[in-house]
Amino acid sequence: MQSPQRQNFRQVPPPQTYENYAAQCQYLSQIAELEIPKVEMSPTELFEKEKFRSKLEVLCQEALTEGYTGEISSIALKCFGSIRSGFATQGSDVDLAIVPSWVNPSSTLTHSSRIDRDIPRLFEKKLLEKGFGARLLTRTRVPILKVCEKPTPELYVALCEERKKWDDLPEEEKYPVAPTPQESTPPPAPLVAIDGQTNSAQNIQHHSPNSKTHTVSRSSTNSTVSEKDIPQSPTRANEPTTPTSTSTAFQDNSKDPKTPHQNRPEKPWLREKALGPLDFPKSGIGIQSDMNFSNPLALHNTQLLRCYSICDPRVRPMVLFVKTWAKRRKINSSYSGTLSSYGYVLMVLHYLVNVAQPPVCPNLQLCYRPRPGATPEQIAAETTVEGYEVRFWGNEEEIADAANRRRLTVNNQSLGVLLCGFFQYYANLKFNGQSFIWTSEVLSLRTLGGIRDKREKGWTAAKTTTVDGKEVRHRYLFAIEDPFEWDHNVARTVTHNGIVTIRDEFRRAWRLLVDVGNGRVPDGELCEQVVEASPLPVPKAVKAGDIELGLESAAAAAKAGTRNLENALAQTAVTYVAGKSNDQNRVGTA
């Protein structure tokens, strides 16, 4: 059920005058020319990461040979993600997919890519023994083994201790089976206002071609909103950031109503999650890798993105620029409640395929043609993975040849022009039907026009699904449909704070561009690094003995003749008040 105006290609209207528009595009071109060479991954870095992949593959095969007796004969670690697609920036992780080979080749059809549950732990143990940092994440959508080349001593000790805790668990607790949730009646469907019409979404459902999930509705849905309801005050760089005030535009429907949140103090939200003792820092620990288990669609997603990167020489630099901007503005962390880099790649491709006029890239999924002479059964067998269709034009040589002959596009716009339209499209709500409507629309790369409706997919309320015994939380405050796995929202991790911050950043970018177009000095740099202030610690109750220690420290400072006496006395007074002591004569005596 697509909106009629969304079925054809659309052009975002330019600013009021050509002079303003030209100035904005020139400004973006200059920034892109400066920033992109800084973030591109060098051939040397690519070579080192390929050596790391090869080393990990050897060690994982050794672990399989030494501790596994099942039906898998060997494994390969295949690179996917940004390094394979061509969209990697400096320091990007190495994304690896575990691809098994079976003792009985005929088992491939029945087992598909399913990995036995004990194999990830075998790999984790082997890598720790060899001095690598390794931590298995089991609460993710698919199991992920995080690996680093050179862990710090503190991190390595923490990882080994965490592994020992798991080894010491009783066998029945090592692989707990999540209880099957009871079916519950979903709340009444909302009335969603789109293009001036109010419609009920009660009977609209969406099922994947390989649906294995059990859905439990947990909360109310998004409310009907207008632009004025949405906070519009983006945070300046180098200023402490705080969550934007709650708006009705994006209700935080990610909380379980069973938990009493009314009396619980709200935790401060940061764009960048504070690191715990088991978390890997971004730098200082060598090459990092995420090893994925049971995720065969990732390889096909990567190949699709790689083919898009070949379609036109402007695709790759535009993706690199947007990823750099999102990283500098700290809105690219799914762990913190914002959007993954993969999500931003899909946002860029949506714009290039469906919004830019003329289109920069063809829709590769709509360009798919079966090989001559293939029967419907053969086509289905060749292009179906885990029950999902992975059909697209994927011949790299043909695409590169067509691109060189200028047969894929007649668009001659500069990178600056494309970036200007990109930021306006996602920042501006003034042009009905010609900019992205965050509250009701789904970005869908496979769809003609690139847009689907949240009501059509049933993506109007947060919910929890159980997949293979694990609960997975789905949010739809921001909706980006995976190109193949249509029931997967790539932006499902985006929380209320996250969506408000992402939209604020697009509006900030557009405000800077408006300043440039009007001949004013922009109030900040587009790709300026956000600096967040750490949240203040919550004061804890202290004992009278702590006050005595504070007084002793003050006396010692006085005897030593230091300049810290005043600070020590002030700290003693604060400690005294926080401890709620009844002995009010001590501070005066000091």
Side-chain angles (χ1 to χ4, degrees), residues 13-84:
Q16 293 181 354
T17 67
Y18 176 79
E19 290 77 11
N20 289 350
Y21 182 57
Q24 291 173 332
C25 297
Q26 179 64 23
Y27 170 76
L28 286 168
S29 292
Q30 291 175 348
I31 297 177
E33 185 177 354
L34 178 67
E35 294 294 341
I36 291 174
K38 295 180 182 178
V39 300
E40 287 183 302
M41 185 175 289
S42 67
T44 301
E45 185 177 352
L46 282 171
F47 176 74
E48 291 299 321
K49 290 187 172 178
E50 169 56 24
K51 284 173 57 179
F52 184 65
R53 182 209 64 81
S54 179
K55 185 183 298 183
L56 292 180
E57 186 176 68
V58 170
L59 291 175
C60 289
Q61 183 59 51
E62 287 180 7
L64 197 72
T65 303
E66 295 166 0
Y68 177 74
T69 57
E71 298 180 61
I72 296 177
S73 60
S74 63
I75 58 97
L77 298 186
K78 291 192 176 181
C79 189
F80 72 97
S82 61
I83 291 180
R84 170 62 185 164

Side-chain angles (χ1 to χ4, degrees), residues 326-550:
K327 183 177 181 180
R328 299 267 182 84
R329 302 308 299 169
K330 293 187 178 179
I331 52 173
N332 69 329
S333 172
S334 56
Y335 292 102
S336 298
T338 52
L339 185 65
S340 66
S341 295
Y342 176 46
Y344 286 104
V345 174
L346 294 179
M347 291 176 73
V348 172
L349 294 179
H350 165 75
Y351 179 83
L352 296 177
V353 172
N354 301 293
V355 182
Q357 187 64 28
V360 175
C361 300
N363 189 316
L364 296 182
Q365 287 173 273
L366 297 181
C367 288
Y368 169 78
R369 297 292 182 272
R371 60 182 176 83
T375 65
E377 292 76 15
Q378 290 173 326
I379 295 172
E382 294 169 359
T383 60
T384 303
V385 177
E386 296 284 299
Y388 295 94
E389 295 178 359
V390 291
R391 300 173 185 175
F392 62 98
W393 183 20
N395 189 311
E396 294 185 30
E397 292 183 1
E398 290 181 359
I399 294 172
D401 181 68
N404 291 333
R405 295 171 181 267
R406 300 289 298 170
R407 294 172 54 190
L408 299 183
T409 182
V410 293
N411 185 305
N412 295 314
Q413 295 171 343
S414 68
L415 180 59
V417 172
L418 295 175
L419 286 170
C420 187
F422 172 83
F423 283 111
Q424 184 183 12
Y425 177 72
Y426 288 108
N428 195 349
L429 296 177
K430 294 181 180 178
F431 306 101
N432 187 26
Q434 296 180 342
S435 59
F436 180 59
I437 305 174
W438 297 70
T439 54
S440 61
E441 293 185 333
V442 180
L443 295 180
S444 175
L445 192 59
R446 67 182 172 95
T447 301
L448 178 64
I451 293 293
R452 304 194 81 86
D453 193 290
K454 285 185 179 181
R455 299 170 302 169
E456 170 201 8
K457 297 180 67 64
W459 285 9
T460 56
K463 57 191 175 185
T464 297
T465 59
T466 300
V467 182
D468 295 331
K470 293 187 298 183
E471 287 192 352
V472 179
R473 187 66 172 160
H474 300 272
R475 302 178 186 87
Y476 304 108
L477 300 173
F478 185 16
I480 304 177
E481 182 188 75
D482 187 88
F484 302 131
E485 200 172 354
W486 301 348
D487 56 346
H488 172 47
N489 177 21
V490 174
R492 71 177 183 85
T493 60
V494 176
T495 62
H496 167 79
N497 286 322
I499 188 66
V500 170
T501 303
I502 291 170
R503 291 199 62 179
D504 278 352
E505 283 301 333
F506 273 105
R507 286 180 170 141
R508 171 189 180 272
W510 184 245
R511 189 180 67 246
L512 297 180
L513 293 175
V514 169
D515 287 344
V516 171
N518 289 328
R520 298 190 296 266
V521 177
D523 187 14
E525 298 291 337
L526 183 68
C527 294
E528 193 170 4
Q529 181 78 42
V530 167
V531 178
E532 291 187 292
S534 301
L536 296 175
V538 179
K540 297 181 180 180
V542 296
K543 301 177 182 179
D546 297 328
I547 301 171
E548 294 176 357
L549 290 176

